[in-house]
Amino acid sequence: MTDLTPLNLLDALTEHQGYETAVYCTYGVDLAFFEEAVLRPLRNNRCRRHIIFVDGRRYAETIEQWRDCAQFVGQQYLLVPIYLPPFQAFHPKLTLLLGPQRGRLLVGSGNLTFTGFGHNHELYTCLDWTPDEPEVLPLFRAAWQFIEAIQARWGHNRLAHETLRKTSYQAPWLQQAEDESSGDLAFWHSLQTPLLDQLEQTVREERVRRVTAVTPFLDRQALAVAELNRRFQPDEIRLVLQPEQAVGDVAALTELQAQGAPLALYRFGDSSRYLHAKLLLLETETAVYALSGSANCTRPALLAMPESQGNVETALLRRAEPADKDALLSLRHR
């Protein structure tokens, strides 16, 4: 059964000791918030090595807002901007805490900002590795390999490279053979294969009855929604949007409906907080596949890789029993 306990992200980062390195991937960052709410308590817990990989263009757009507030960048933590071509984004949202005998991985939808950690509706999964919990080791190794690939491909930061090398030496369990199984949970990214291709390969021949997408952003022509319909041919597509906040083209959705797509719109009921969570559910006769993480329901997020005008995204794919599905969503039809 999926554990849907509400998660306080700051508590999740700081409640344990035993971590020596923290690596963050984010689209946007609020450095004043990070230094006070994340960096300071983690350093008090003796976690002394910190690297933030952030989207380069977003970093350049916002640096003037907090230039005077960032006191410790380059001293107590490294900040590595990742620059992709125009109209593409370095968009993953994850935190990896690592120590000799403990690891914690958080993968979700929130940026490393006050709103991402404390105000928006966000969706995160928190996983722990210890010698007594070896079954999640493949997910930690996959996340670590993703970070190493980011540094090698775009980071080009000598200090970050050295920090990752030291971390690999001091957390040798990251190099253990993957004899354990992570079961029905997998860590995905978009570096080599588009997320929707991976999802299609996983579901394979299963008949998809219903697709549910929770997203704050749609691409302008609703290409991702159209592709979900084309590939899976479900009986119903449920699109959960927040009124007055979700970004998309009503005409494109109307055209899809006119073309026969079984598309129904649902209203997200809470208007007091911004819905920034991203969730894609595929229901078959025997299972529910839940893809959650950084990817919006857009072409750059789901249908492409960085080489083909796509974003860098991260996600977790969980296969669950049908009985778990109803706990994930409370929908009101529009």
Side-chain angles (χ1 to χ4, degrees), residues 113-325:
T113 62
F114 171 77
T115 53
F117 270 57
H119 186 267
N120 294 344
H121 285 290
E122 305 283 4
L123 184 59
Y124 260 88
T125 300
C126 179
L127 301 168
D128 288 302
W129 177 88
T130 67
D132 297 327
E133 300 174 279
E135 65 278 358
V136 297
L137 179 59
L139 286 90
F140 278 78
R141 290 202 63 191
W144 179 249
Q145 290 165 3
F146 166 77
I147 289 166
E148 289 186 315
I150 292 300
Q151 163 62 16
R153 189 166 176 180
W154 293 292
H156 308 303
N157 185 297
R158 180 183 60 81
L159 293 177
H161 173 78
E162 183 64 18
T163 298
L164 295 179
R165 188 190 65 81
K166 289 180 179 178
T167 299
S168 182
Y169 175 77
Q170 294 181 345
W173 53 270
L174 286 169
Q175 311 304 323
Q176 292 178 15
E178 294 185 14
D179 295 332
E180 307 88 354
S181 171
S182 58
D184 293 325
L185 191 62
F187 176 85
W188 286 1
H189 56 72
S190 62
L191 293 184
Q192 286 122 5
T193 306
L195 292 178
L196 198 59
D197 287 4
Q198 297 179 60
L199 187 58
E200 185 178 24
Q201 293 163 9
T202 299
V203 175
R204 294 181 182 174
E205 301 301 320
E206 292 191 57
R207 170 80 171 90
V208 177
R209 296 189 298 108
R210 180 184 294 119
V211 173
T212 301
V214 180
T215 182
F217 292 97
L218 299 166
D219 53 83
R220 188 167 185 180
Q221 296 177 308
L223 296 176
V225 177
E227 194 66 10
L228 285 167
N229 183 53
R230 186 189 71 82
R231 296 197 192 193
F232 299 109
Q233 299 182 5
D235 299 326
E236 182 183 10
I237 299 175
R238 306 196 298 186
L239 190 58
V240 183
L241 303 172
Q242 187 175 38
E244 311 301 329
Q245 296 290 342
V247 176
D249 191 324
V250 174
L253 297 175
T254 302
E255 178 63 21
L256 277 178
Q257 291 174 320
Q259 293 172 0
L263 178 62
L265 302 185
Y266 286 76
R267 180 189 299 269
F268 184 77
D270 184 1
S271 61
S272 64
R273 297 163 61 197
Y274 178 46
L275 175 64
H276 194 250
K278 303 97 162 56
L279 175 66
L280 188 60
L281 290 177
L282 271 63
E283 299 175 53
T284 72
E285 294 295 335
T286 60
V288 177
Y289 295 88
L291 185 71
S292 62
S294 64
N296 291 298
C297 193
T298 64
R299 180 202 171 277
L302 293 178
L303 307 182
M305 302 176 295
E307 290 82 359
S308 54
Q309 299 181 322
N311 295 344
V312 176
E313 306 279 2
T314 50
L316 288 175
L317 187 281
R318 183 186 301 273
R319 185 185 186 278
E321 297 299 319
D324 286 348
K325 178 264 303 180

Side-chain angles (χ1 to χ4, degrees), residues 26 57 59 182 206:
T26 183
R57 285 186 175 80
Y59 167 78
S182 58
E206 292 191 57

Side-chain angles (χ1 to χ4, degrees), residues 23-45:
V23 183
Y24 316 85
C25 293
T26 183
Y27 171 66
V29 61
D30 176 342
L31 290 184
F33 164 80
F34 168 75
E35 290 187 1
E36 178 60 27
V38 179
L39 178 68
R40 183 174 61 82
L42 276 173
R43 284 182 61 83
N44 287 342
N45 280 351

